[in-house]
Amino acid sequence: MSDDSTYAAAPFDHEKADIILRSSDNIDFRVFKLFLSLASPFFETLFDIPQPDEENGDQEIKDGLVVIPVTEDSKTLDALLRFCYPCTLADDPSLEVLKDAVDVLEAARKYSLDVIETKARRAIVNPKFLEVEPLRCFAIAHRGRLREETLLAAKSTLTQPLIPSWFQEVELISATDLLSLLTYHKKCGDAVYALRLNLSWITSHYGSLQGCPFMSGLQSYGCGCPRTATPSQRYVLFGRQVQWWEEFMEETFTALKDRPCKETVKGSVEKTVQTVRPRNCQACSPRIAEGMRDFLEFFAGKIEETVSQIELELNF
């Protein structure tokens, strides 16, 4: 029996509740059996089991209600119960912190709360988490045997460097799992880097120099941008090449080996626009911002197409 327990805040302090769930940190939740039974067959079965008599000391009673201890802490239990309650009595929790989503996922599985498990799974791959902490999302999703979420998180890790820094949930996965992820990352980087060897995907998209005047380098357009002194010919389009285009392509593809994603190209595009536009080239300066942003979307689509063909070899 715990004499140091306290009641939870509303709506889990209702005077007409018919049972108490006590969290691992001794917070008592006065709840209604009906709501929990409708949400979970686990609770329905639990409440159908005859409870021991108070007189034999096997069952704690508080304020006339049976107390059932659970292993979840009060924060997790609060979130779980809010999902179970009607929206008129309790709003769904936001699961704004990744750990909260993980704890709720584990509890939802334990108590057979399928709808809540689905919501927790969605929270784990919320773009807010994926964009900032994709490695954590990957480790959590894989540990939870969430195949779709694991694959989505793996693709999101491509926004990070190939060699990751330490992250909180790294201990949730094995060395083999981490090696599989790094191998997938490297294969994606190599595949995207290989796009530079054949630029037909660019020339077929634009068709001719007139389709991409922002990078044409044509004197007739008034282009005064310098040509490369020793052109490599690697990035020549339609027989023309200006220095800023070669520098952009070389720097971008080098960076894509490490981070094969749209964000890498976006950074290079922004740098190039800021460099070329102030030169007052009659051909490039007025067109480069719009033209390069269009090229960014096209290039990003090609990257997506390329990495989608790479398989993550991972056991679930």
Side-chain angles (χ1 to χ4, degrees):
M1 181 178 295
S2 295
D3 296 328
D4 57 347
S5 62
T6 59
Y7 279 123
F12 306 119
D13 59 351
H14 203 287
E15 61 180 12
K16 293 186 178 181
D18 51 11
I19 200 163
I20 292 174
L21 298 183
R22 176 170 292 161
S23 66
S24 60
D25 50 350
N26 284 326
I27 304 299
D28 290 341
F29 292 75
R30 296 173 64 99
V31 295
F32 293 90
K33 294 180 183 179
L34 176 62
F35 295 154
L36 291 132
S37 296
L38 291 174
S40 163
F42 177 94
F43 283 119
E44 182 179 17
T45 301
L46 176 67
F47 296 147
D48 283 343
I49 298 175
Q51 301 298 325
D53 294 332
E54 179 184 8
E55 295 179 356
N56 62 25
D58 292 334
Q59 179 65 65
E60 180 179 352
I61 304 294
K62 180 176 180 180
D63 296 338
L65 300 181
V66 171
V67 177
I68 298 180
V70 298
T71 58
E72 289 71 32
D73 62 25
S74 57
K75 188 174 184 180
T76 302
L77 188 58
D78 181 278
L80 195 73
L81 294 174
R82 286 181 185 276
F83 278 125
C84 295
Y85 264 48
C87 61
T88 54
L89 297 179
D91 294 331
D92 283 355
S94 59
L95 301 181
E96 292 294 326
V97 178
L98 188 55
K99 185 180 185 303
D100 293 345
V102 175
D103 292 341
V104 169
L105 172 65
E106 293 177 351
R109 284 180 164 176
K110 173 181 176 181
Y111 297 116
S112 302
L113 294 161
D114 296 339
V115 173
I116 300 174
E117 179 182 346
T118 298
K119 292 181 179 181
R121 291 175 66 160
R122 290 174 181 168
I124 290 172
V125 290
N126 185 311
K128 179 177 63 177
F129 296 143
L130 279 180
E131 292 173 4
V132 179
E133 301 176 301
L135 286 164
R136 292 186 64 198
C137 293
F138 170 82
I140 291 167
H142 184 52
R143 179 62 176 265
R145 303 180 304 282
L146 307 176
R147 181 179 178 82
E148 292 183 8
E149 290 79 2
T150 300
L151 296 177
L152 181 58
K155 182 174 286 188
S156 294
T157 65
L158 298 178
T159 63
Q160 308 294 309
L162 172 60
I163 305 302
S165 302
W166 181 90
F167 56 98
Q168 188 173 341
E169 281 76 15
V170 68
E171 295 179 359
L172 295 180
I173 57 177
S174 67
T176 301
D177 297 333
L178 183 57
L179 180 60
S180 295
L181 179 64
L182 298 183
T183 300
Y184 164 77
H185 194 131
K186 187 176 187 305
K187 286 182 177 179
C188 289
D190 290 344
V192 171
Y193 188 65
L195 291 174
R196 80 196 217 287
L197 301 177
N198 184 349
L199 301 184
S200 60
W201 54 279
I202 299 180
T203 55
S204 61
H205 176 72
Y206 288 106
S208 67
L209 278 174
Q210 285 68 34
C212 50
F214 66 95
M215 55 182 173
S216 65
L218 286 175
Q219 297 291 345
S220 59
Y221 277 84
C223 179
C225 291
R227 276 35 174 191
T228 52
T230 56
S232 65
Q233 303 296 316
R234 177 172 293 156
Y235 304 114
V236 172
L237 298 176
F238 309 109
R240 299 283 178 169
Q241 178 176 284
V242 288
Q243 184 174 342
W244 66 258
W245 170 255
E246 180 179 4
E247 292 173 349
F248 161 76
M249 292 290 277
E250 188 64 35
E251 291 177 7
T252 302
F253 273 111
T254 299
L256 283 169
K257 286 195 69 175
D258 193 46
R259 296 172 59 241
C261 61
K262 177 181 179 178
E263 288 71 16
T264 300
V265 183
K266 182 179 180 181
S268 295
V269 165
E270 292 175 348
K271 177 183 176 182
T272 298
V273 170
Q274 293 173 2
T275 300
V276 176
R277 189 158 50 182
R279 293 178 178 174
N280 296 321
C281 171
Q282 295 180 27
C284 301
S285 296
R287 299 179 175 90
I288 191 168
E290 181 179 356
M292 288 298 284
R293 283 169 190 144
D294 173 74
F295 181 68
L296 164 63
E297 297 304 320
F298 168 61
F299 200 169
K302 189 65 177 178
I303 291 172
E304 174 65 25
E305 175 188 328
T306 302
V307 301
S308 66
Q309 299 175 28
I310 307 300
E311 181 179 358
L312 172 63
E313 298 178 0
L314 196 66
N315 294 323
F316 290 90

